[in-house]
Amino acid sequence: MNIRTVETFVVQSKLKKPFVTALRTVFNVQSIIVKMTTESGLTGWGEAVPAHVITGETVGSIRYAIERVLAPVLIGEGVARREVLFEKVQRSLLGNSSAKAAVDMAVHDIFAQHCGLPLIQMLGGYSDRLTTDLTVSAGAPKEMVKEAAEHTAKGFSVLKIKIGTGNFQEERVRIRAIRQEVGPDIVLRLDANQGWKPKEAIRIIRQFEDDGLDIELVEQPVAANDLEGLREVTRHTQTLIMADESLFSIGDARRLLEMRAADLLNIKLMKSGGIHEALKINAMAQSYGVECMAGSMMETAVGVTAAAHFAASQPNVTRTDLDAPLLLAGVFDCGGIVYKGSVMEFAGGLGLGFDSERMKQWVKEYANE
Ligand code: MG
């Protein structure tokens, strides 16, 4: 079961509409798909995305990291000795978390296939389905209300609203209008993507509380590196505060948890460097009584399928923000996860559950070399 080849392919998918957050506006999603094969004939798949404002990675850096740094240390190694593989990956390259995630997904895919199990079962098999939220991207209040209404009409009962781009009054108007439109039964979670200063965040979130807007949680209200500021917001508001951009590694998780800087953690494989580290972060969070959400970047169904296997396998992952494939215009019909409205099911099959022949076609069809 030694690794024989590690290849990368750049694919590009169009978004149904431009995606606006406090950090950036995105029109297309570029991904680097990893195909790993073993001498015994198994094929594993993974994905990395150049979310440079978050991870610092670009298409060029990811390809270089995988092809020139990670592939040489992985080729010839046995997939069964995963701790050896992942130690080599960590030691050979600092940072580059999504490049590492892509390789980690492929290794997990292959190992689960070798074990004759879907990955979700190999990881813990807690649940066989997930319910995802759906994102309302930042925009004019009218647009956001319309989008929120469209989402709930399609059966989504949890909306994630991107905010943090406007001033205090604008934010208030937006969220009030959305709550009024969707009614009291829809769960609203907000993502400020580092858009506020700590005191500003406290003021705005308290205002939402006073307005009775019943916000489930607010994600990353302040700058990623301002853990003290994040803790201030967590201490001085009633609403649950979730760390996202502040959390990459297990070391970040330890600091956040020791400081009690957030009530919840958002684990994304592209930040943790894959499933191997994500499991450790989740276990550590669980020991502090802190629940996790599984999220993703703007990814295709390849990366999101890996995130879904991780998320559904663990009881402490209690929230799912894996709607990225629903925001893409193209069709992904290669196995993995299947969306039925807001419910995500697994198509079946071993490992991540991809059909390798169809994956090869898909990679060709969406190639962006
Ligand atoms: Mg976020």
Short mmCIF file of all heavy atoms in Angstrom, two decimals, residues 197-239:
data_model
loop_
_atom_site.label_atom_id
_atom_site.label_comp_id
_atom_site.label_asym_id
_atom_site.label_seq_id
_atom_site.Cartn_x
_atom_site.Cartn_y
_atom_site.Cartn_z
N LYS A 197 -14.02 45.99 15.36
CA LYS A 197 -13.13 46.14 16.52
C LYS A 197 -13.89 45.56 17.71
O LYS A 197 -15.13 45.53 17.70
CB LYS A 197 -12.83 47.62 16.76
CG LYS A 197 -12.09 48.28 15.62
CD LYS A 197 -10.60 48.02 15.76
CE LYS A 197 -9.82 48.69 14.66
NZ LYS A 197 -9.59 47.81 13.50
N PRO A 198 -13.17 45.12 18.76
CA PRO A 198 -13.87 44.45 19.87
C PRO A 198 -15.04 45.25 20.45
O PRO A 198 -16.13 44.71 20.62
CB PRO A 198 -12.76 44.24 20.89
CG PRO A 198 -11.52 44.13 20.07
CD PRO A 198 -11.71 45.06 18.91
N LYS A 199 -14.80 46.55 20.73
CA LYS A 199 -15.88 47.32 21.36
C LYS A 199 -17.07 47.51 20.42
O LYS A 199 -18.23 47.51 20.85
CB LYS A 199 -15.35 48.67 21.84
CG LYS A 199 -14.53 48.50 23.10
CD LYS A 199 -14.16 49.80 23.76
CE LYS A 199 -13.45 49.48 25.07
NZ LYS A 199 -12.82 50.65 25.65
N GLU A 200 -16.73 47.67 19.15
CA GLU A 200 -17.77 47.81 18.13
C GLU A 200 -18.61 46.53 18.08
O GLU A 200 -19.84 46.56 18.03
CB GLU A 200 -17.04 48.02 16.80
CG GLU A 200 -17.80 48.59 15.67
CD GLU A 200 -16.88 48.69 14.44
OE1 GLU A 200 -15.71 48.23 14.48
OE2 GLU A 200 -17.35 49.20 13.44
N ALA A 201 -17.92 45.40 18.13
CA ALA A 201 -18.60 44.09 18.08
C ALA A 201 -19.54 43.95 19.28
O ALA A 201 -20.68 43.51 19.14
CB ALA A 201 -17.57 42.97 18.07
N ILE A 202 -19.03 44.32 20.46
CA ILE A 202 -19.86 44.20 21.67
C ILE A 202 -21.10 45.06 21.53
O ILE A 202 -22.22 44.62 21.82
CB ILE A 202 -19.03 44.58 22.92
CG1 ILE A 202 -17.93 43.55 23.15
CG2 ILE A 202 -19.93 44.70 24.15
CD1 ILE A 202 -16.85 43.98 24.14
N ARG A 203 -20.90 46.27 21.04
CA ARG A 203 -22.04 47.20 20.90
C ARG A 203 -23.08 46.64 19.92
O ARG A 203 -24.27 46.62 20.19
CB ARG A 203 -21.51 48.55 20.41
CG ARG A 203 -22.57 49.60 20.30
CD ARG A 203 -21.95 50.97 20.06
NE ARG A 203 -22.99 51.92 19.72
CZ ARG A 203 -22.93 52.76 18.70
NH1 ARG A 203 -21.88 52.77 17.91
NH2 ARG A 203 -23.93 53.58 18.47
N ILE A 204 -22.60 46.17 18.78
CA ILE A 204 -23.52 45.68 17.74
C ILE A 204 -24.25 44.41 18.21
O ILE A 204 -25.46 44.28 18.06
CB ILE A 204 -22.76 45.41 16.42
CG1 ILE A 204 -22.24 46.74 15.86
CG2 ILE A 204 -23.65 44.70 15.40
CD1 ILE A 204 -21.34 46.59 14.66
N ILE A 205 -23.50 43.48 18.78
CA ILE A 205 -24.12 42.21 19.19
C ILE A 205 -25.14 42.45 20.32
O ILE A 205 -26.22 41.87 20.32
CB ILE A 205 -23.05 41.18 19.60
CG1 ILE A 205 -22.19 40.82 18.37
CG2 ILE A 205 -23.69 39.93 20.18
CD1 ILE A 205 -20.90 40.11 18.69
N ARG A 206 -24.78 43.34 21.26
CA ARG A 206 -25.74 43.67 22.34
C ARG A 206 -26.99 44.32 21.77
O ARG A 206 -28.10 44.09 22.28
CB ARG A 206 -25.09 44.62 23.34
CG ARG A 206 -24.18 43.89 24.30
CD ARG A 206 -23.74 44.87 25.35
NE ARG A 206 -22.99 44.25 26.40
CZ ARG A 206 -22.38 44.94 27.37
NH1 ARG A 206 -22.44 46.26 27.37
NH2 ARG A 206 -21.72 44.31 28.30
N GLN A 207 -26.80 45.11 20.74
CA GLN A 207 -27.96 45.74 20.11
C GLN A 207 -28.87 44.66 19.49
O GLN A 207 -30.09 44.71 19.61
CB GLN A 207 -27.49 46.73 19.04
CG GLN A 207 -28.60 47.55 18.44
CD GLN A 207 -29.24 48.48 19.47
OE1 GLN A 207 -28.58 49.37 20.00
NE2 GLN A 207 -30.51 48.26 19.79
N PHE A 208 -28.24 43.69 18.82
CA PHE A 208 -29.03 42.58 18.26
C PHE A 208 -29.80 41.88 19.38
O PHE A 208 -30.95 41.48 19.20
CB PHE A 208 -28.12 41.55 17.57
CG PHE A 208 -27.46 42.04 16.31
CD1 PHE A 208 -26.27 41.44 15.86
CD2 PHE A 208 -28.00 43.05 15.54
CE1 PHE A 208 -25.65 41.87 14.71
CE2 PHE A 208 -27.38 43.49 14.39
CZ PHE A 208 -26.20 42.90 13.97
N GLU A 209 -29.13 41.71 20.52
CA GLU A 209 -29.79 41.05 21.66
C GLU A 209 -30.97 41.89 22.16
O GLU A 209 -32.07 41.37 22.38
CB GLU A 209 -28.78 40.82 22.79
CG GLU A 209 -27.74 39.76 22.43
CD GLU A 209 -26.52 39.74 23.36
OE1 GLU A 209 -26.45 40.57 24.29
OE2 GLU A 209 -25.63 38.90 23.13
N ASP A 210 -30.73 43.20 22.30
CA ASP A 210 -31.80 44.09 22.78
C ASP A 210 -32.97 44.13 21.80
O ASP A 210 -34.13 44.29 22.19
CB ASP A 210 -31.27 45.51 23.00
CG ASP A 210 -30.30 45.56 24.18
OD1 ASP A 210 -30.28 44.59 24.96
OD2 ASP A 210 -29.55 46.55 24.29
N ASP A 211 -32.65 44.01 20.52
CA ASP A 211 -33.70 44.02 19.49
C ASP A 211 -34.46 42.69 19.43
O ASP A 211 -35.39 42.54 18.65
CB ASP A 211 -33.09 44.29 18.10
CG ASP A 211 -32.64 45.74 17.94
OD1 ASP A 211 -32.97 46.57 18.81
OD2 ASP A 211 -31.97 46.04 16.94
N GLY A 212 -34.01 41.71 20.21
CA GLY A 212 -34.68 40.41 20.23
C GLY A 212 -34.56 39.65 18.92
O GLY A 212 -35.48 38.94 18.51
N LEU A 213 -33.40 39.78 18.27
CA LEU A 213 -33.25 39.17 16.94
C LEU A 213 -32.91 37.68 17.02
O LEU A 213 -32.88 37.00 16.01
CB LEU A 213 -32.18 39.92 16.13
CG LEU A 213 -32.58 41.37 15.82
CD1 LEU A 213 -31.44 42.09 15.10
CD2 LEU A 213 -33.84 41.39 14.96
N ASP A 214 -32.65 37.18 18.22
CA ASP A 214 -32.44 35.75 18.45
C ASP A 214 -31.38 35.17 17.51
O ASP A 214 -31.64 34.26 16.73
CB ASP A 214 -33.79 35.01 18.27
CG ASP A 214 -33.71 33.59 18.81
OD1 ASP A 214 -32.79 33.30 19.61
OD2 ASP A 214 -34.55 32.76 18.41
N ILE A 215 -30.18 35.72 17.63
CA ILE A 215 -29.05 35.25 16.80
C ILE A 215 -28.42 34.04 17.49
O ILE A 215 -28.10 34.10 18.68
CB ILE A 215 -27.99 36.38 16.65
CG1 ILE A 215 -28.62 37.62 16.01
CG2 ILE A 215 -26.79 35.89 15.87
CD1 ILE A 215 -29.25 37.40 14.66
N GLU A 216 -28.26 32.96 16.74
CA GLU A 216 -27.71 31.73 17.35
C GLU A 216 -26.25 31.91 17.74
O GLU A 216 -25.82 31.51 18.81
CB GLU A 216 -27.82 30.57 16.35
CG GLU A 216 -27.28 29.26 16.89
CD GLU A 216 -26.80 28.31 15.81
OE1 GLU A 216 -26.49 28.77 14.69
OE2 GLU A 216 -26.71 27.11 16.11
N LEU A 217 -25.46 32.51 16.84
CA LEU A 217 -24.03 32.68 17.09
C LEU A 217 -23.48 33.75 16.16
O LEU A 217 -24.07 34.05 15.11
CB LEU A 217 -23.28 31.36 16.88
CG LEU A 217 -23.31 30.74 15.48
CD1 LEU A 217 -22.13 31.20 14.62
CD2 LEU A 217 -23.29 29.22 15.59
N VAL A 218 -22.35 34.30 16.57
CA VAL A 218 -21.62 35.25 15.71
C VAL A 218 -20.21 34.72 15.51
O VAL A 218 -19.50 34.44 16.48
CB VAL A 218 -21.56 36.67 16.32
CG1 VAL A 218 -20.73 37.59 15.44
CG2 VAL A 218 -22.96 37.23 16.50
N GLU A 219 -19.84 34.57 14.23
CA GLU A 219 -18.54 34.02 13.90
C GLU A 219 -17.51 35.13 13.72
O GLU A 219 -17.80 36.15 13.08
CB GLU A 219 -18.70 33.29 12.55
CG GLU A 219 -18.06 31.93 12.49
CD GLU A 219 -18.27 31.31 11.14
OE1 GLU A 219 -19.40 30.87 10.85
OE2 GLU A 219 -17.31 31.28 10.36
N GLN A 220 -16.38 34.91 14.27
CA GLN A 220 -15.18 35.75 14.10
C GLN A 220 -15.49 37.24 14.01
O GLN A 220 -15.28 37.88 12.98
CB GLN A 220 -14.40 35.32 12.85
CG GLN A 220 -12.96 35.82 12.84
CD GLN A 220 -12.10 35.20 13.93
OE1 GLN A 220 -12.15 34.01 14.18
NE2 GLN A 220 -11.30 36.01 14.61
N PRO A 221 -15.97 37.84 15.13
CA PRO A 221 -16.29 39.26 15.09
C PRO A 221 -15.08 40.17 14.90
O PRO A 221 -15.20 41.24 14.33
CB PRO A 221 -16.95 39.51 16.47
CG PRO A 221 -16.50 38.38 17.32
CD PRO A 221 -16.32 37.21 16.41
N VAL A 222 -13.91 39.73 15.41
CA VAL A 222 -12.73 40.61 15.40
C VAL A 222 -11.56 39.96 14.67
O VAL A 222 -11.63 38.80 14.27
CB VAL A 222 -12.31 40.95 16.85
CG1 VAL A 222 -13.44 41.64 17.59
CG2 VAL A 222 -11.86 39.70 17.61
N ALA A 223 -10.48 40.73 14.54
CA ALA A 223 -9.30 40.27 13.80
C ALA A 223 -8.80 38.91 14.30
O ALA A 223 -8.84 38.62 15.50
CB ALA A 223 -8.18 41.30 13.92
N ALA A 224 -8.30 38.12 13.36
CA ALA A 224 -7.89 36.74 13.66
C ALA A 224 -6.88 36.67 14.80
O ALA A 224 -6.95 35.79 15.65
CB ALA A 224 -7.32 36.10 12.40
N ASN A 225 -5.92 37.62 14.81
CA ASN A 225 -4.85 37.52 15.81
C ASN A 225 -5.19 38.23 17.13
O ASN A 225 -4.38 38.26 18.04
CB ASN A 225 -3.53 38.05 15.25
CG ASN A 225 -3.62 39.51 14.84
OD1 ASN A 225 -4.64 40.16 15.09
ND2 ASN A 225 -2.59 40.03 14.21
N ASP A 226 -6.38 38.79 17.24
CA ASP A 226 -6.77 39.50 18.47
C ASP A 226 -7.56 38.58 19.41
O ASP A 226 -8.77 38.71 19.56
CB ASP A 226 -7.58 40.75 18.11
CG ASP A 226 -7.86 41.62 19.33
OD1 ASP A 226 -7.34 41.30 20.42
OD2 ASP A 226 -8.62 42.61 19.19
N LEU A 227 -6.84 37.64 20.02
CA LEU A 227 -7.53 36.68 20.89
C LEU A 227 -8.09 37.36 22.14
O LEU A 227 -9.16 36.99 22.63
CB LEU A 227 -6.60 35.54 21.29
CG LEU A 227 -6.03 34.68 20.16
CD1 LEU A 227 -5.40 33.41 20.71
CD2 LEU A 227 -7.09 34.32 19.13
N GLU A 228 -7.36 38.36 22.66
CA GLU A 228 -7.87 39.10 23.83
C GLU A 228 -9.17 39.81 23.47
O GLU A 228 -10.13 39.82 24.24
CB GLU A 228 -6.84 40.11 24.35
CG GLU A 228 -5.70 39.51 25.13
CD GLU A 228 -4.62 38.92 24.24
OE1 GLU A 228 -4.68 39.15 23.00
OE2 GLU A 228 -3.73 38.22 24.76
N GLY A 229 -9.17 40.42 22.28
CA GLY A 229 -10.38 41.11 21.81
C GLY A 229 -11.54 40.13 21.64
O GLY A 229 -12.68 40.42 22.01
N LEU A 230 -11.22 38.96 21.12
CA LEU A 230 -12.26 37.94 20.93
C LEU A 230 -12.83 37.52 22.29
O LEU A 230 -14.05 37.38 22.45
CB LEU A 230 -11.65 36.73 20.20
CG LEU A 230 -12.60 35.62 19.78
CD1 LEU A 230 -13.63 36.14 18.79
CD2 LEU A 230 -11.84 34.44 19.18
N ARG A 231 -11.93 37.37 23.27
CA ARG A 231 -12.38 37.00 24.61
C ARG A 231 -13.27 38.10 25.22
O ARG A 231 -14.26 37.80 25.88
CB ARG A 231 -11.17 36.76 25.51
CG ARG A 231 -11.58 36.38 26.94
CD ARG A 231 -10.39 36.00 27.78
NE ARG A 231 -9.43 37.09 27.84
CZ ARG A 231 -8.22 37.00 28.40
NH1 ARG A 231 -7.83 35.87 28.92
NH2 ARG A 231 -7.41 38.03 28.41
N GLU A 232 -12.90 39.35 24.97
CA GLU A 232 -13.72 40.47 25.47
C GLU A 232 -15.14 40.36 24.91
O GLU A 232 -16.12 40.53 25.63
CB GLU A 232 -13.11 41.82 25.05
CG GLU A 232 -11.92 42.23 25.87
CD GLU A 232 -12.23 42.27 27.35
OE1 GLU A 232 -13.01 43.14 27.75
OE2 GLU A 232 -11.72 41.41 28.11
N VAL A 233 -15.23 40.10 23.61
CA VAL A 233 -16.55 40.00 22.97
C VAL A 233 -17.32 38.82 23.57
O VAL A 233 -18.51 38.92 23.89
CB VAL A 233 -16.42 39.84 21.43
CG1 VAL A 233 -17.80 39.73 20.79
CG2 VAL A 233 -15.65 41.01 20.83
N THR A 234 -16.64 37.70 23.76
CA THR A 234 -17.28 36.51 24.31
C THR A 234 -17.79 36.77 25.73
O THR A 234 -18.89 36.36 26.09
CB THR A 234 -16.29 35.32 24.32
OG1 THR A 234 -15.89 35.08 22.95
CG2 THR A 234 -16.91 34.06 24.87
N ARG A 235 -16.97 37.49 26.51
CA ARG A 235 -17.35 37.76 27.91
C ARG A 235 -18.51 38.74 28.04
O ARG A 235 -19.29 38.64 28.96
CB ARG A 235 -16.16 38.37 28.65
CG ARG A 235 -15.20 37.32 29.15
CD ARG A 235 -14.20 37.96 30.08
NE ARG A 235 -13.25 36.97 30.54
CZ ARG A 235 -12.07 37.25 31.08
NH1 ARG A 235 -11.71 38.51 31.23
NH2 ARG A 235 -11.27 36.30 31.46
N HIS A 236 -18.55 39.71 27.12
CA HIS A 236 -19.48 40.82 27.30
C HIS A 236 -20.74 40.75 26.44
O HIS A 236 -21.42 41.74 26.25
CB HIS A 236 -18.75 42.15 27.11
CG HIS A 236 -17.72 42.38 28.17
ND1 HIS A 236 -16.38 42.23 27.94
CD2 HIS A 236 -17.86 42.68 29.48
CE1 HIS A 236 -15.73 42.46 29.07
NE2 HIS A 236 -16.60 42.74 30.02
N THR A 237 -21.00 39.58 25.89
CA THR A 237 -22.25 39.38 25.14
C THR A 237 -22.88 38.06 25.58
O THR A 237 -22.19 37.17 26.09
CB THR A 237 -21.99 39.32 23.62
OG1 THR A 237 -21.04 38.29 23.35
CG2 THR A 237 -21.45 40.64 23.09
N GLN A 238 -24.16 37.95 25.37
CA GLN A 238 -24.89 36.71 25.69
C GLN A 238 -24.83 35.72 24.53
O GLN A 238 -24.94 34.52 24.72
CB GLN A 238 -26.38 37.02 25.96
CG GLN A 238 -26.63 37.99 27.11
CD GLN A 238 -26.29 37.35 28.45
OE1 GLN A 238 -26.67 36.21 28.69
NE2 GLN A 238 -25.59 38.08 29.27
N THR A 239 -24.74 36.27 23.35
CA THR A 239 -24.76 35.46 22.11
C THR A 239 -23.50 34.59 22.05
O THR A 239 -22.43 35.01 22.48
CB THR A 239 -24.80 36.41 20.90
OG1 THR A 239 -25.87 37.34 21.10
CG2 THR A 239 -25.02 35.66 19.60
#
